[in-house]
Amino acid sequence: MEYRITNNQSISDSLERMNDGDILFLDEGIYQEKVKIINNNIKIIGKGPDKTFIVNKDYSPKIHKDNKEYNTFRTYTVMVTGQNVEIEGISIKNLSTPANKYGQAVALHVLGDMFKISNSGLFGAQDTLFCGPLPINLQTKYIDFLPTDELTSAYSRQLYESCYIEGDVDFIFGAGISIFDNCHIHSIENNIHGYISAPSHNSDQEFGFTFINCKLTSSPSNKNFFLGRPWRDYGKSTFINCTIEGDFISKLGFDPWNNSGRDKTARFEVYNININTSPFPNWVKVLDEDEVKKYTLNNIFKLI
């Protein structure tokens, strides 16, 4: 069944009526709403990333109605826990910017398996996109804080296709098996430092964050950004055939996360990326032509 709503109607109310296979069409406009998608096998389609917007303004130190801080993982504008959910033609924004004023503030939080978003925009500053699940230690820490369905340890396969994603600090983070195909990754102004990815994958995950044919741009003032830093041991980010516009990425390429020692386990890889390094640190792997062949959608998203 198909549902169509305008921006004076509720997305959440519409989701409560939807069943497997249903499609929700959003007219152009701004939907001021916090949305949690628990449905399976649905699509949500907007009029385009410059016409249909879902926006909210929660941030980590903000006080929730339970008199506790929101914490990073309750700040989302849109959360997806359902399986096989597809979003197209929508921009999702957390308006809590800049990061030095609001701290962590998630726009999109994904936990469901086989998630796909295309021709869409994700806007925030620190922690714009969380590709779940949570690290094991945080699942334990938050057992009495977050709902049970948000504490899953199941692997989540996620596809970001032709999307625009912006932020400054760790703005793509988590342990999802995530492909970013032909995306525009933009680092907004942060005069101190910035990190595009902050992976936390487990050691048994062969694939982590895979950026393929992506364009990386930045505010002109940025001078000390990194492609990634390991949020947890064994975090993995791979950049393949990506183009960096400008001179905003550090010559080291990646950061070891202070004195954490995670450079001993982190899995950072590059192939055919135009960065002026001298050279990469010895804990960053430069793939060869044979090694890069395994990075295909079908192989990465094989049954787990």
Side-chain angles (χ1 to χ4, degrees), residues 45-211:
I45 301 175
K47 290 289 188 179
D50 57 344
K51 294 181 178 179
T52 303
F53 305 86
I54 306 174
V55 305
N56 196 55
K57 196 176 181 179
D58 290 332
Y59 50 94
S60 184
K62 180 179 177 180
I63 301 302
H64 193 274
K65 62 183 179 182
D66 61 8
N67 293 320
K68 299 177 183 178
E69 290 188 354
Y70 264 76
N71 177 283
T72 303
F73 303 102
R74 299 198 294 183
T75 62
Y76 64 87
T77 296
V78 174
M79 175 185 283
V80 179
T81 62
Q83 313 301 308
N84 194 32
V85 172
E86 184 173 344
I87 295 174
E88 178 183 342
I90 298 171
S91 279
I92 300 169
K93 296 187 176 186
N94 191 316
L95 302 176
S96 304
T97 61
N100 61 11
K101 179 178 180 180
Y102 294 101
Q104 297 93 332
V106 176
L108 178 62
H109 181 136
V110 180
L111 298 169
D113 191 30
M114 295 307 289
F115 170 77
K116 178 181 178 182
I117 183 169
S118 60
N119 187 33
S120 295
L122 304 176
F123 295 80
Q126 184 171 355
D127 293 358
T128 302
L129 170 62
F130 177 58
C131 304
L134 286 167
I136 295 297
N137 69 315
L138 293 186
Q139 292 175 38
T140 302
K141 179 179 179 179
Y142 297 141
I143 196 165
D144 295 319
F145 180 71
L146 295 176
T148 302
D149 66 329
E150 297 174 19
L151 296 172
T152 176
S153 59
Y155 291 149
S156 171
R157 291 167 288 184
Q158 307 173 22
L159 175 60
Y160 299 81
E161 189 174 70
S162 301
C163 290
Y164 173 88
I165 306 170
E166 75 170 29
D168 56 6
V169 177
D170 304 333
F171 63 97
I172 300 173
F173 72 116
I177 302 170
S178 306
I179 299 174
F180 300 86
D181 181 21
N182 195 36
C183 289
H184 180 178
I185 314 294
H186 183 72
S187 299
I188 64 174
E189 184 176 358
N190 184 316
N191 292 323
I192 302 175
H193 50 68
Y195 310 90
I196 292 173
S197 66
S200 59
H201 302 92
N202 295 325
S203 60
D204 62 347
Q205 290 179 260
E206 181 180 2
F207 299 101
F209 296 157
T210 304
F211 299 85

Side-chain angles (χ1 to χ4, degrees), residues 26-38:
L26 306 184
D27 201 359
E28 63 183 85
I30 299 174
Y31 295 77
Q32 181 81 47
E33 189 173 354
K34 189 179 185 76
V35 178
K36 183 174 179 178
I37 304 170
I38 64 174

